[in-house]
Amino acid sequence: MSDTTDQVTEREVGRSRPRKEDARLVTGQTNWTDNINVNGLQHLAILRSPMAHARIDRVDVAPARERPGVIAAFSGRDLAEGLGSLPCAWPVTEDIVLPDHPPIAVDEVRYAGDPVAVVVARDRYAAADALEAIEVDYEPLPPVLDLEAALTEGSPLVHADKGTNRCYVWPLATGESYATVRERADVVLRRRYHQQRLIPNAMEPRAVVVTPLAASGEYTVYSSTQIPHILRIMLSVVTGVPEHKLRVIAPDVGGGFGSKLQVYGEEALALAVAQRLGRPVKWTESRSEGYLATHHGRGMIQDIEIAATREGGLLGLKVDLLADMGAYLMLVTPGIPILGAFMYPAIYKMDAYDFTCTGVFTTRTPTDAYRGAGRPEATYAIERIMDELAAELGLDPVELRRRNWIRHEEFPYTAIAGLTYDSGNYEAATDKALALFGYDELRAEQQRRNERGDVVRLGIGVSTYTEMCGLAPSRVLRDLRYAAGGWEAASIRMLPTGKVEVVTGTSPHGQGHVTCWSQIAADVLGVPFEDVEVVHGDTRSAPQGMDTYGSRSLVVGGAAVHHAAQKVVEKARKVAAHLLEANEHDLEFTHGVFSVKGSPEARKSIQEIAFATFSSHDLPDGMEPTINAEHLVDPENFSYPHGTHLCAVEVDTETGRTTIRSYVCVDDVGRVINPMIVEGQVHGGIAQGIAQALYEEAVYDDEGNLVSGTMADYLVPTAVDLPEFVTDRTETPATSNPLGAKGVGESGTIASTPAVVNAIVDALRPLGVTEVTMPCTPQRVWDALGQARSAKEASA
């Protein structure tokens, strides 16, 4: 047993510990879902509709059953009995249109990629080959692609039985009447911004393995999911398998970015087929299949109007959104734009805010959460129009922001959208970022280059942001009509040998939970970091949890670990007091050791207490023989990271090519558990935000076919396409959790996109360009320059 001489004295929280998870990753000892093989495993392949919208007149799977190696083949009608509709857990309004969403189409397909039939074979190649033998007769129907046209009378309908393509209208109006403040404004600007559709590109494709235990009617579902606990509940609802007969395991999961925050038809189909055949089955998507079938992100038209005084004081903001739902409502599809509703006013003070979101059905792949989920869209719109307002008023963009942001001495501050920001210091983050960036020097260089009329123009982009993280307060989620709560669970098991198991309800997919949770528990318990193991992602070994999304894991799940560890210490205190024949209140607990005040030689380590509890030879009367503990956290508020991102670009006006010259960000994510992990999260987030600004877009043709359906057509930046990032932090601890943490997983994505686009427009504004639609490809930049030249010539 450990004695009291080797206890840890250095704090773990705040240290840049190498991740515990990485040894397995770099040595190839990971357990991805597609690595899982069991006796008798069969492989499932899915035939998908090549048409965006059509009636299904006939599906004949019989020829596929004759192919070598094929075990079974099913049409949608074959599988319809016993399969319910895929769930939507966020019906945002009482009158929302909620169409049925079958895991496999029966009578009609509504997007290119909609499942039509299933083949099961002895290997994946035989299954894929057999798909070619299936005969399907389609009767084409008109596609629905344009959001505005979809709402006009006489438009073709995605769901004819619903009589409309309008899914919902969700309004929010706070403060004074916007119409009133608009009347007294000196300046009113209105802009339209397009949030293009994005396709998530997690390193690991989606996969699912289902193993049945026929004798007891039990099923184990392995899935590359972010949400094993939610998936278990929803699969029970969809398939009818009792929840207590389902075990869901998220093994090693290689990224998600929201795309694995989902209950997919493939998971339900795999379970249904395993149930029918009594055999284990596996499905793994190809990359091109994933482009069709994994939900997309963004997809929105933003009409933004801002009212201000001639001195630059903000009076009001009006936001009208058209949000593309795609063909169906998936798990949280309708709620994603609503998350952004509270973030459009951002860090600014104003008197009126008017927001309306209209959800629209189209014959495209459904949309849902993608890194940031509503908040990047909001930040983009407000930061773009703030730059436009600065140009209109002849103010420096940073100066305009300074005149309107919430000052540090005003926290806690209830913003115009109704959220109470608990802490922050926008001035400090911005000042540090400006200094690191060399803002004044770059502005001077820009002026010189503009005066010379350089072909390659320099642009400077500013983005100041805040976001709501820690998606948790269950009462708030209730008020937003979200079906579930936002609590999180953790338990601490002290083993007889003094080692520690942390059981968490969060389910990591690359964030470093194992490392950070070990650091949190090690500090509270006073045990070595190496002695802590973290258990996660299995609904049997970690039965309680609400999983990972919305930058909630640390501020909610990590807080639960902290509280559970404190409970362990308090239980251990009772045993230590008994063994040391002292009063509990006379004990001090430092670095994992209980000692008696005034008698430091009388001491017991927490490891010794763990073994004494296991032996149970001498416990206080009435005490159970355990110091294990669990805790569930349900915070009363979100957390609010913030920061300032600055980007300098050089734009070649002859080719349209944009090169990022420098990028600086200063983020305030509250107290940091592991600086190295925070740095990695920020770098990854910035890369994804830059990708939206410059590269990525899901493109459909006029028939609703995805024409950017492979990595050859859908541009994902690599390391060579990105600049070196200069990152730093300020720190104002959150008050919503005991760690003081705010969340960091989505910050870089939220802030970077407007910083880059603002820089491009800033470079071209002297040439008459005020907008470049994302992604700002060389062609689009060149076209914008051409339009500006034409407009100038027409007005001459």
Side-chain angles (χ1 to χ4, degrees):
M1 300 309 304
S2 298
D3 60 27
T4 60
T5 62
D6 60 354
Q7 297 304 118
V8 176
T9 58
E10 185 179 354
R11 284 188 60 82
E12 284 292 337
V13 169
R15 293 180 67 184
S16 286
R17 279 280 193 180
R19 300 195 329 164
K20 286 185 174 182
E21 299 90 331
D22 288 347
R24 290 186 304 107
L25 290 170
V26 300
T27 56
Q29 299 179 64
T30 45
N31 187 34
W32 313 115
T33 301
D34 191 49
N35 293 149
I36 295 168
N37 288 296
V38 296
N39 289 334
L41 183 67
Q42 307 298 312
H43 293 264
L44 188 149
I46 297 172
L47 182 68
R48 300 184 181 278
S49 169
M51 308 187 71
H53 199 195
R55 290 190 186 91
I56 301 173
D57 290 336
R58 182 179 71 96
V59 179
D60 186 358
V61 297
R65 294 184 181 128
E66 304 302 317
R67 289 295 186 97
V70 171
I71 303 299
F74 304 99
S75 68
R77 195 169 299 281
D78 294 333
L79 293 172
E81 185 177 351
L83 276 178
S85 178
L86 292 174
C88 174
W90 204 340
V92 295
T93 63
E94 189 172 346
D95 60 351
I96 188 173
V97 175
L98 284 169
D100 286 340
H101 183 185
I104 183 169
V106 176
D107 300 312
E108 191 171 318
V109 292
R110 293 183 170 88
Y111 66 97
D114 216 350
V116 174
V118 170
V119 169
V120 185
R122 290 191 175 92
D123 64 66
R124 66 180 61 186
Y125 307 106
D129 289 345
L131 293 179
E132 298 176 357
I134 297 174
E135 299 173 3
V136 185
D137 293 336
Y138 296 101
E139 180 185 341
L141 294 170
V144 179
L145 303 170
D146 184 279
L147 295 182
E148 291 177 303
L151 298 177
T152 61
E153 187 175 350
S155 169
L157 298 176
V158 181
H159 300 275
D161 60 318
K162 300 302 180 184
T164 182
N165 290 320
R166 181 177 285 103
C167 177
Y168 66 86
V169 177
W170 194 93
L172 175 68
T174 61
E176 297 181 42
S177 161
Y178 177 78
T180 300
V181 302
R182 189 182 193 280
E183 288 180 359
R184 69 171 188 263
D186 300 312
V187 178
V188 176
L189 292 184
R190 186 173 178 84
R191 295 290 187 269
R192 169 168 282 200
Y193 301 123
H194 291 265
Q195 291 284 330
Q196 76 271 37
R197 274 177 167 253
L198 302 178
I199 301 176
N201 278 275
M203 186 75 75
E204 178 207 18
R206 289 190 297 119
V208 59
V209 173
V210 180
T211 61
L213 186 60
S216 60
E218 296 178 72
Y219 299 87
T220 299
V221 179
Y222 300 87
S223 181
S224 55
T225 182
Q226 299 175 217
I227 53 167
H229 298 90
I230 294 173
L231 179 59
R232 181 190 188 206
I233 296 167
M234 294 306 188
L235 282 180
S236 177
V237 171
V238 173
T239 65
V241 177
E243 185 183 350
H244 66 288
K245 296 291 188 179
L246 276 176
R247 177 185 183 186
V248 175
I249 300 174
D252 292 315
V253 178
F257 313 117
S259 71
K260 296 174 184 175
L261 165 58
Q262 194 54 264
V263 179
Y264 282 105
E266 293 86 357
E267 291 160 322
L269 288 173
L271 179 53
V273 169
Q275 192 176 17
R276 285 197 175 211
L277 300 180
R279 302 187 188 188
V281 299
K282 176 192 287 186
W283 171 80
T284 301
E285 71 180 2
S286 66
R287 185 66 67 176
S288 57
E289 185 180 21
Y291 274 36
L292 289 171
T294 296
H295 74 239
H296 293 177
R298 314 291 191 252
M300 185 184 295
I301 297 173
Q302 302 169 304
D303 286 312
I304 313 297
E305 186 174 289
I306 197 164
T309 67
R310 63 176 52 89
E311 293 77 26
L314 298 187
L315 297 176
L317 181 69
K318 190 175 191 302
V319 177
D320 290 294
L321 305 183
L322 291 180
D324 188 351
M325 303 287 98
Y328 297 102
L329 302 183
M330 298 192 77
L331 190 66
V332 291
T333 301
I336 297 305
I338 306 309
L339 280 176
F342 301 96
M343 290 287 100
Y344 281 86
I347 65 175
Y348 306 118
K349 295 180 285 189
M350 59 189 71
D351 299 327
Y353 176 49
D354 191 308
F355 173 94
T356 304
C357 178
T358 302
V360 184
F361 290 113
T362 63
T363 52
R364 285 187 281 237
T365 301
T367 59
D368 209 296
Y370 181 67
R371 196 171 190 173
R375 288 102 77 204
E377 298 93 308
T379 301
Y380 181 84
I382 185 64
E383 289 304 286
R384 280 290 297 115
I385 204 165
M386 285 294 283
D387 259 35
E388 295 301 302
L389 180 60
E392 180 74 15
L393 296 171
L395 291 172
D396 181 272
V398 175
E399 176 58 27
L400 177 65
R401 288 162 170 83
R402 287 187 191 279
R403 294 184 185 187
N404 289 284
W405 64 38
I406 303 157
R407 302 195 63 80
H408 70 275
E409 64 269 16
E410 296 178 280
F411 289 96
Y413 185 90
T414 300
I416 188 70
L419 299 177
T420 299
Y421 302 168
D422 62 329
S423 67
N425 191 327
Y426 309 141
E427 306 98 296
T430 302
D431 288 344
K432 182 178 266 193
L434 292 172
L436 290 170
F437 191 62
Y439 185 81
D440 292 339
E441 294 85 348
L442 281 169
R443 282 294 184 200
E445 179 188 344
Q446 179 188 47
Q447 183 174 350
R448 292 193 299 271
R449 291 172 66 163
N450 287 346
E451 289 171 351
R452 291 196 304 263
D454 285 5
V455 169
V456 178
R457 295 298 179 109
L458 175 64
I460 298 166
V462 181
S463 174
T464 52
Y465 79 98
T466 189
E467 58 159 326
M468 53 192 289
C469 286
L471 194 64
S474 295
R475 292 182 180 181
V476 174
L477 296 178
R478 172 203 63 194
D479 294 342
L480 292 174
R481 300 180 61 85
Y482 183 62
W487 51 267
E488 194 48 77
S491 61
I492 306 289
R493 300 196 291 242
M494 289 294 302
L495 305 181
T497 55
K499 309 304 181 185
V500 180
E501 289 180 336
V502 174
V503 182
T504 176
T506 64
S507 188
H509 42 285
Q511 295 89 340
H513 292 186
V514 171
T515 302
C516 291
W517 280 212
S518 296
Q519 291 179 274
I520 293 167
D523 270 1
V524 177
L525 299 172
V527 301
F529 169 79
E530 295 78 10
D531 287 357
V532 183
E533 190 67 33
V534 178
V535 179
H536 61 81
D538 183 338
T539 60
R540 180 166 294 171
S541 58
Q544 295 188 97
M546 291 301 294
D547 305 316
T548 294
Y549 42 87
S551 295
R552 69 186 302 275
S553 291
L554 178 60
V555 298
V556 190
V561 171
H562 175 88
H563 284 299
Q566 286 187 320
K567 286 184 176 180
V568 168
V569 172
E570 292 313 304
K571 283 187 174 183
R573 184 184 299 275
K574 296 182 183 297
V575 180
H578 177 76
L579 296 176
L580 294 170
E581 298 180 344
N583 189 293
E584 287 181 45
H585 302 294
D586 291 334
L587 292 185
E588 295 178 332
F589 182 69
T590 307
H591 304 311
V593 175
F594 293 97
S595 59
V596 181
K597 295 176 184 176
S599 303
E601 70 284 352
R603 36 198 293 131
K604 291 285 183 183
S605 71
I606 197 166
Q607 292 94 334
E608 291 172 312
I609 301 300
F611 188 81
T613 308
F614 165 72
S615 68
S616 302
H617 292 166
D618 188 12
L619 295 181
D621 291 341
M623 182 173 181
E624 294 178 330
T626 180
I627 56 172
N628 296 345
E630 68 176 12
H631 193 88
L632 277 76
V633 167
D634 195 348
E636 294 184 359
N637 194 8
F638 301 102
S639 61
Y640 300 95
H642 68 82
T644 297
H645 287 225
L646 302 168
C647 178
V649 302
E650 293 186 325
V651 183
D652 189 325
T653 59
E654 293 183 342
T655 66
R657 178 180 172 83
T658 297
T659 303
I660 298 179
R661 172 169 151 178
S662 62
Y663 195 102
V664 168
C665 68
V666 174
D667 295 293
D668 188 329
V669 298
R671 289 206 176 100
V672 171
I673 306 301
N674 187 312
M676 184 186 300
I677 289 176
V678 166
E679 193 85 351
Q681 288 277 25
V682 170
H683 278 219
I686 294 171
Q688 281 186 283
I690 291 173
Q692 178 173 8
L694 296 180
Y695 300 105
E696 297 188 25
E697 182 177 22
V699 179
Y700 286 82
D701 66 16
D702 292 342
E703 299 302 315
N705 300 303
L706 181 67
V707 296
S708 56
T710 71
M711 281 189 168
D713 311 297
Y714 185 92
L715 302 183
V716 179
T718 67
V720 298
D721 300 305
L722 300 170
E724 293 290 329
F725 305 133
V726 176
T727 66
D728 208 333
R729 292 185 299 276
T730 55
E731 183 177 302
T732 53
T735 63
S736 57
N737 64 82
L739 303 170
K742 292 184 175 181
V744 69
E746 297 164 301
S747 298
T749 306
I750 289 168
S752 55
T753 306
V756 174
V757 178
N758 277 343
I760 293 170
V761 175
D762 182 65
L764 303 179
R765 195 181 298 279
L767 302 175
V769 174
T770 60
E771 178 61 19
V772 181
T773 301
M774 292 190 295
C776 301
T777 61
Q779 181 69 54
R780 284 182 173 165
V781 170
W782 194 81
D783 287 345
L785 284 164
Q787 291 166 12
R789 281 193 295 269
S790 297
K792 184 177 180 180
E793 291 167 1
S795 63

